[in-house]
Amino acid sequence: MSSAPAQVPAQAPADVPADFETGFQTGFAIRPDLVVEAAHADDVRTAVADAAGRGLPVHVHATGHGLPGAVEGGVLISTRRMDSVEVDPVHRTARIGAGVTWGRVIEAAAPHGLAPLNGSSPGVGAVSYTLGGGLGVLAREFGYAADHVRALDVVTADGVLRHVSPDSEPDLFWALRGGGHRLGVVTGMEIGLVAAARLYGGSIAFDGDGDGGDGAGERDGVTASEVIHRYLEWTRTVPDALTSSLSALRFPDVPRMPEPMRGRYVISVRVAYTGSAAEGERLVAPLRAIGPALADSLREMPYTDSHTIHSDPSFPHAYYGDSVVLGDLDAERAVRTLELTGPKAPMMTVVQLNHLGGALAVRPAVDNAVPYREAGFLLRLLSPLDGTDVASVRALYAQVAAVLAPLALGRSLNFSFGGGDRTDGFHDARTQKRLAGLVSRHDPASLFGGSYGISRDGR
């Protein structure tokens, strides 16, 4: 029997209690009518049933990285206290609570020579990330994190705690793995782990402001155009066991930024490969041949250091982000994207281009709702909101989307930050229609129909 959950009414429109951690995203107000800090699945069940009885919408919050926008009214269920991790090394599985971060799961699995299919940041909530698909550090070798889910526990809109597996609630098992939070509050999940005690990886960074040469054979650096051309060529040659991405951003000229990057427009290629270090060195040789590097951290490392490949910021801040899933990408459109988002852009924009394919293109033995398996690349955009506003950021992103439109398949549910009012493109039409039917069956009153919801007409 569970202890009573902590229920904290928000006493003024802008007042969430000071001891409640709003999370990583600080750009959008959180003003629920009631905060429920759940410690057990029964707490979630009670909160959902109470919200349904009072006709209040339900929002779910773990770490706050993927906050879809402002929370106004309703019941906010915080799962941050549900942070248990239990590893079964014999069956290579982990049982994880709804609020646990990837860092906790990595630490628990590492002593057994195992690893989860985590994302680049150890502070991100593992369950929420997996519900959206989960594009991990080793994605091309092992597929999406959602492909490795064995079972889930979820509280649906009727207040029932359900155990969901391929044999029990198969429709929900399909939908929750890639369909997001729209069908209930997941309280726990059993995931498969992979044998990965170490890897070869890191990043190599280039000065994108380089002029490519002085006309007399001397090179002062490389241009952003050269790097993106060479990177795209390189991705056509690498094995499925190698996962990579390219990032481009103007680093702020502030002391907390790394000295070699400070104030520069930096193009970085990040790599993760579970093969031998010697083979890894051979595979990245074409990257090193692009030109002089600002920094090169490519090396053998324990899997517990995998977060250093991307070195994502760990401090809370305000930001907006979106994405475009691409069937393929040519150098001309890639260069134009960097021109729009680079140093001359009206606001700082972080560009990340993920190379897809490999195991990501293969559907799991028990199918799920992860869309766009045929995609070759994912373009992600993120802009800090300090000194700008969402409307201005969206205007810039619309220009990028227009350039990429002929190659676009849709958008990624996991990488839309602050745009919860826009749900178009998260799934292909067939997947969206099936998800909409399940929403009509399991949540007819739209209890979970807030940001990133799936409408009952399939749009």
Side-chain angles (χ1 to χ4, degrees), residues 133-444:
L135 183 63
V137 173
L138 302 177
R140 278 176 44 84
E141 182 172 6
F142 295 108
Y144 290 97
D147 298 343
H148 295 258
V149 173
R150 307 289 184 86
L152 312 93
D153 292 321
V154 59
V155 176
T156 46
D158 54 5
V160 174
L161 176 61
R162 303 172 187 270
H163 183 69
V164 175
S165 71
D167 301 318
S168 172
E169 309 275 7
D171 283 344
L172 283 175
F173 188 68
W174 172 84
L176 289 168
R177 297 174 301 136
H181 286 279
R182 183 59 182 86
L183 285 158
V185 183
V186 172
T187 62
M189 183 182 289
E190 182 183 342
I191 59 173
L193 303 173
V194 300
R198 41 71 59 198
L199 56 79
Y200 176 87
S203 68
I204 182 168
F206 302 94
D207 184 355
D209 288 325
D211 62 12
D214 64 1
E218 293 294 327
R219 293 181 63 85
D220 297 323
V222 294
T223 64
S225 175
E226 286 180 278
V227 178
I228 193 71
H229 271 85
R230 298 281 287 276
Y231 174 71
L232 289 173
E233 291 172 356
W234 179 74
T235 60
R236 316 296 181 190
T237 70
V238 299
D240 291 351
L242 189 149
T243 303
S244 72
S245 65
L246 176 143
S247 73
L249 73 150
R250 168 73 75 184
F251 273 77
D253 190 4
V254 296
R256 71 181 173 189
M257 293 294 111
E259 181 62 39
M261 281 77 159
R262 192 177 302 167
R264 295 177 183 265
Y265 183 53
V266 178
I267 314 294
S268 301
V269 178
R270 289 82 66 89
V271 171
Y273 175 62
T274 58
S276 69
E279 181 62 7
E281 288 282 309
R282 187 190 70 80
L283 289 170
V284 303
L287 298 177
R288 287 180 166 143
I290 292 174
L294 287 174
D296 183 343
S297 67
L298 293 163
R299 68 200 187 278
E300 173 92 359
M301 68 175 75
Y303 193 83
T304 50
D305 285 350
S306 62
H307 65 280
T308 65
I309 295 172
H310 295 77
S311 296
D312 291 339
S314 58
F315 51 88
H317 56 287
Y319 53 93
Y320 182 90
D322 209 340
S323 60
V324 185
V325 183
L326 301 166
D328 203 350
L329 182 61
D330 58 83
E332 181 179 355
R333 286 187 175 88
V335 170
R336 180 57 182 149
T337 296
L338 295 188
E339 290 173 349
L340 287 169
T341 58
K344 296 181 180 179
M347 74 282 296
M348 177 183 173
T349 300
V350 181
V351 175
Q352 178 162 311
L353 181 67
N354 289 85
H355 181 208
L356 305 181
L360 295 166
V362 180
R363 292 201 169 275
V366 180
D367 201 9
N368 59 32
V370 175
Y372 308 127
R373 297 277 178 170
E374 70 275 29
F377 294 92
L378 169 66
L379 183 86
R380 297 155 54 179
L381 304 172
L382 186 146
S383 297
L385 292 178
D386 298 333
T388 189
D389 58 85
V390 170
S392 299
V393 174
R394 282 187 169 182
L396 174 63
Y397 289 10
Q399 294 181 57
V400 175
V403 170
L404 300 174
L407 303 175
L409 301 175
R411 300 162 63 217
S412 172
L413 179 60
N414 266 357
F415 301 108
S416 180
F417 305 122
D421 57 321
R422 295 185 57 230
T423 62
D424 56 294
F426 284 148
H427 297 90
D428 58 271
R430 183 177 179 180
T431 301
Q432 183 76 355
K433 183 177 180 180
R434 184 176 175 186
L435 286 170
L438 290 171
V439 167
S440 294
R441 185 194 317 171
H442 289 283
D443 187 14

Side-chain angles (χ1 to χ4, degrees), residues 118-137:
N118 56 283
S120 59
S121 174
V124 168
V127 167
S128 293
Y129 197 75
T130 302
L131 294 177
L135 183 63
V137 173

Side-chain angles (χ1 to χ4, degrees), residues 10-26:
Q11 313 215 337
D15 285 341
V16 170
D19 62 346
F20 174 69
E21 296 179 9
T22 56
F24 191 77
Q25 165 69 279
T26 64

